[in-house]
Every structure is written in structure tokens, then in C-alpha cells.
Amino acid sequence: MKKYYFILILLSLIALWPFFKQGFFESHDGEWMVIRFSAFHQTLAAGQFPVRFVDRLNNNYGYPVLNFLYPLPFYLAEIPKIAGFGFVDSIKIVFAVSTVFSVVGMYWALSHRFSKYAALAGSLIYLFIPYRFVDLYVRGSLGENVAFAMAPVILGGIFKLTKDRNEFLAILSVSIALLVMSHNVLAIIFIPLFFLLSVILIKKDIFKITAAFLVGLFVSSFFWLPAFYDLHFVKLSQINVSNVSDHLSSAKRLIFPSWGLGQPPQQENGLSTQFGLISLAVFIASTFSFLISKRDKIIGTLIVVYIAIFFLITNYSAAFWRIPHVDIIQFPWRLLSLIVLISALLAAYVVDSVKNKKLVASLIIAIGIISTIIYTKPSNFVDRSEGFYSTNEDTTTVRYEYLPLWVEEKPEIRANRKIEIEGNGEIISSEIKAANYKAEINAQEEVKIIVNTIYFPGWKASIDDENVNINYRDNPNGLMSFKLPEGSHKVIIKYGK
């Protein structure tokens, strides 16, 4: 057993070789993740927990991005950061460790239902499949990569429960909560399939299974509930981050190998939406085996879902994506994440469907590695200083979609001071920390205090420990302000939610 874990770790590390080079590499989101993490770290160090509003981003006017987007990868990145690594290396470590864990975790999960050779093949296909390398080297999607690490724990928990190991109910709940915090959208994609598999496999304990899923959602509700409720405060409720039709593909692009570093798959050099040669091979083989032998309900379900996903990513499904709210996943090709999971399961099933398991497992692994290892080359390596990331004030989102609706004009010019006075008064002393400002102010008359941070629910202001109302609709930038009476006062403006 130990030698298999060694093989899994070694092959995973080979696929991750770019993460061991100095600096980082360019991708759609990778460097944004470093910038976002540096702002997250500064805010967490200033005492905000959980981190929701980071005031360094958006030209130092603040941005509630972490109220809406997956927090777990950044909490995990705090571990290497505390150990002394920089922001870039901390993010790279989370990428690398979660990738290795995903493979090892999938082997653990599959070994509870399939043979050791089947589990070995399935776990390696879980990594050596095109979409995983799209996530790592083209998109730089940290959240999705961590979600891929959480999924095998859920799957393994389900398989354990089929053997009446009820202690895994708690593990199932915790892993579901961690999946939600890893990536909101992938949780929406994965959880229904996991629940369906649970219902098929564990009919007699359907109440316990349902309770475990609900507990997982409850545990993570500190994140997803405010994120869901607060959507009506931000521009995302009124705009589309992407045009779904731009991200549909031809059937040809799903079948034949291709590679691109752009974004919409339809454009030249666009993002690859291929299922992968090995994925298509195990799908065909498992379908054939399913039809001629004893029909496994789990495999039948996976085959149907596989076919449905193929259709939903093609241009033929355009009418479906016009149904209200189904475009919550933003990009139809995100369904390839399910293809990754299903392909791992089908690969294991194919191996166990034949007599010579070792030979077939070796062939699947070889084809998987040979057909995808060429995709481990990023577009370009860069070696920027830590200061580039730790002082960068971008929003780290595409269309500033998490700006509050009352921000009519995005503030572009960085303010020299966080707190300003309009009227006859002076700031005697001040202490400015991330999302936590304190000042001693002497006013010769009633003055207006202007805080150069956009307002978002959760901000509070107090004068001499007495809360005061914040005005944020008297300016097009949505900045906070309030009246300060004559005299010397202690002013505190703090975010907490």
C-alpha cells in the first residue's frame, strides 16, 4: 500500500514542476490570488475574523470580495505564511499540496469500493486529465484546486458509510462544509451528484445521509448565507460577469485535443474545453461494459451525467442556459470539473471489469500521463517582488462586480488620507489598521468626517463610544461620512460582521 502512495505523490510532483521554479507564472487568476491573499493576511492580522472586507483593494477604498468568494484557500495559505514563507510561495504551496492531496485522497476513496489497481488508475486520472491542467496553468484557479482536494474526502466518506461506518457521518458533514468554503460554484456543481450517489448507495440510511449533508451546509452557513443575502447590495445582482454563449463549445472542441491560453473557448487560442482522450476512452469502455454485464446503478448514473454534461457545454444547449438562474456557474465549461470526478470513477470501474487489472490500469495511467503531461507548461514565468503583490490595490475581479450598488462612480484616484475633515477641525492623532480606524479629533465647530472607504453593511462608526449613523449616499463614490460635534472626541470606524 505504501508504495502506491509513493508513486502517487511522485507522479503528482512531476506534474507540478512549474511550482518549484523561482517566482510565479502568468495565468488568468493566479497572481490575483496572491494579491488577494496579501490583502486577506493584512486584514486578518488587524483582527478581522472572519475576513470579509479588505480595505486595501479598490485603490485603497476597500472591497467586500471575501464576503462573496471562497475563503478556505486563504486560511490554508496562512499556515505557510506563519511558517515564514512569502505571499507567492504560500499560494504556490496551497496549489501544490492540495493537488497532491487530491490524488492521494482519491486513491483512499476509491480503494474502499474498487481494487488497488483500479484505485491507482482512477486516482491518477483524477489529475492527469486536461481540465486539471487548465485550472493549474491556464486559469490559475486556487479555489477550484482546493475543491478538487475536498471532493475525494466526501466520496470516501460515502463509500465508508456503505459499510455501516457511521463515524464517517461527521467526516462527511465537515468535508461538505470545507467544499463549500473552497469554491462556492464547484460546491453547487458537486453536492447534488454526491447526494444522488449517496441515495443510490445507502437507501436504508437516507435520513442520516440527508442530515449529514444539511449539517455540512449549516456549518458553512457563516460564509454562504451572508454571501447569498448580500448579493442584492452589489453590482453582481445587476450585471453578468460573462456571456454564457461565449463560453459554449463545438462538439469537436470537446472531443479532439486542443490547447489555448485565452479565455472564451470560441476565440483563437481560447481556453481548452476538451474532455481528454483518456476520459473519452474510459467513458466508451465503461458504457460498453455496463451494457453487456450486470448493470451497476452508480455507473449508469455517471454515464447519464457524463452525456448530459457533454450536451450542456456544446452550442446546442444555448436555450437551456437562458433559463433564469442556471447561469449561476458563470461558465458552462466549469462542468468539466464533474467530468474529472466521473472519469476517475469510470476508470476504476473499467479496470475492475477485466481480468488483467494490472495491465489495463497501466494502460490507462500511461495514456493519461502521456496525453496531458505536455500541458504542464505555463505561458510565461515571472519573478516579481513581494512588494508588487502586498501593495497592489486592484479589485482582483473582472468587472468590479462586488462594488456596492450605491457606488455610482468607482473611485480612481487614491486618497492621501483615510480620514479627512470638512470644516474647522484637526486630527490630533490617528491609528489606521486594515478596516479599523481610530482618531482623536479636535473640532472648533460641527464638522463633517469623510472616511475614504466605500460603505458596505457591517461598517460602524462611533464618537466617544456612542454609535452614530453613517451617510454614504451623499457622494457618487459611496464613501462614508458622518457629523462630528464641536469639541475633542475619540472616533472609531470599524468593520465587523
Side-chain angles (χ1 to χ4, degrees), residues 190-340:
F190 278 163
I191 288 176
L193 179 61
F194 281 132
F195 185 73
L196 179 59
L197 297 180
S198 301
V199 170
I200 295 172
L201 287 170
I202 321 169
K203 290 181 180 179
K204 64 178 182 178
D205 287 326
I206 186 63
F207 176 78
K208 290 181 180 179
I209 294 298
T210 303
F213 274 78
L214 291 176
V215 169
L217 294 176
F218 175 77
V219 170
S220 59
S221 63
F222 80 94
F223 162 61
W224 65 262
L225 196 56
F228 178 76
Y229 177 78
D230 289 343
L231 274 177
H232 75 283
F233 291 129
V234 297
K235 296 184 184 295
L236 184 62
S237 63
Q238 297 184 350
I239 64 173
N240 291 320
V241 173
S242 65
N243 185 348
V244 170
S245 62
D246 292 338
H247 294 271
L248 295 172
S249 296
S250 65
K252 179 180 177 181
R253 286 184 63 87
L254 303 186
I255 297 171
F256 295 100
S258 64
W259 199 249
L261 303 173
Q263 292 192 5
Q266 296 180 6
Q267 71 178 25
E268 185 178 354
N269 194 40
L271 178 144
S272 174
T273 54
Q274 60 169 311
F275 275 46
L277 294 176
I278 191 60
S279 175
L280 293 168
V282 297
F283 166 73
I284 293 170
S286 57
T287 301
F288 179 76
S289 179
F290 174 79
L291 292 175
I292 66 171
S293 62
K294 184 179 179 180
R295 298 186 179 182
D296 186 315
K297 288 184 179 180
I298 291 296
I299 299 304
T301 300
L302 295 176
I303 290 171
V304 170
V305 174
Y306 192 103
I307 295 170
I309 291 172
F310 189 97
F311 169 75
L312 290 172
I313 302 178
T314 65
N315 297 314
Y316 301 110
S317 67
F320 170 83
W321 294 105
R322 287 194 286 270
I323 298 173
H325 308 304
V326 299
D327 61 351
I328 191 172
I329 72 170
Q330 297 178 336
F331 311 111
W333 42 257
R334 262 201 178 122
L335 293 172
L336 288 169
S337 58
L338 273 184
I339 294 299
V340 173

Side-chain angles (χ1 to χ4, degrees), residues 58-94:
N58 186 30
N59 291 325
N60 204 43
Y61 288 98
Y63 200 50
V65 60
L66 288 164
N67 186 63
F68 299 97
L69 295 184
Y70 41 87
L72 181 60
F74 303 111
Y75 286 108
L76 293 176
E78 285 293 332
I79 298 172
K81 186 69 180 72
I82 292 170
F85 290 92
F87 292 118
V88 175
D89 287 339
S90 295
I91 290 297
K92 288 166 66 178
I93 287 170
V94 174

